[in-house]
Amino acid sequence: MSQTQTFTVIGMTCSHCVASVTEEIQEIPGVQDVAIDLPTGAVNVTSIEPLDDAAVKAAVEEAGYQFA
Amino acid sequence: MSQTQTFTVIGMTCSHCVASVTEEIQEIPGVQDVAIDLPTGAVNVTSIEPLDDAAVKAAVEEAGYQFA
């Protein structure tokens, strides 16, 4: 079982930004896949169990971006 | 003796881009310092001897950006 949640991240401007956010979110336990759409800032996270918004927010901020 | 030359790079959007370009240019023999102004794309390169435009262009393109 897995599900995908969509979050929005503000401030990503290029593929390096996408890589930084992807990397941080992938470190959250249970995360299986991270797919980011740069133009919209949509971050689709697939995980074994539903993720806490707080954990994703912390990862996004650790990467240096804003969680919306 | 050293001199500083200014080049213009198109396509840098964030600090990761700046880091990529800096890193590639620093690999050119004789380069002592690289200072980039992100908003304008101005790249100031200080080196022991004048650099060939071609060497800087190659480094910029290697980083994935456009030399103007």
Side-chain angles (χ1 to χ4, degrees):
Chain A
M1 279 286 289
S2 70
Q3 65 278 304
T4 300
Q5 290 163 277
T6 301
F7 306 93
T8 301
V9 172
I10 296 169
M12 296 182 295
T13 55
C14 73
S15 60
H16 299 115
C17 301
V18 169
S20 294
V21 172
T22 299
E23 204 170 297
E24 286 297 333
I25 294 178
Q26 274 172 341
E27 286 177 10
I28 301 170
V31 168
Q32 298 173 310
D33 189 56
V34 180
I36 295 181
D37 182 60
L38 177 58
T40 63
V43 177
N44 298 297
V45 184
T46 303
S47 54
I48 298 169
E49 295 191 346
L51 300 173
D52 273 355
D53 275 16
V56 179
K57 183 173 189 286
V60 166
E61 290 175 351
E62 177 67 27
Y65 300 89
Q66 195 185 335
F67 184 85
Chain B
M1 281 284 291
S2 70
Q3 64 278 305
T4 300
Q5 291 163 277
T6 301
F7 305 93
T8 300
V9 171
I10 296 170
M12 296 183 295
T13 55
C14 73
S15 60
H16 299 116
C17 300
V18 169
S20 296
V21 171
T22 299
E23 203 170 298
E24 287 295 336
I25 293 177
Q26 275 172 340
E27 287 178 10
I28 301 171
V31 168
Q32 296 172 310
D33 188 56
V34 180
I36 294 180
D37 182 60
L38 177 57
T40 61
V43 178
N44 299 298
V45 184
T46 303
S47 53
I48 299 170
E49 294 191 348
L51 299 173
D52 273 356
D53 275 15
V56 179
K57 183 173 190 284
V60 167
E61 290 176 351
E62 178 66 27
Y65 301 90
Q66 195 185 331
F67 183 87

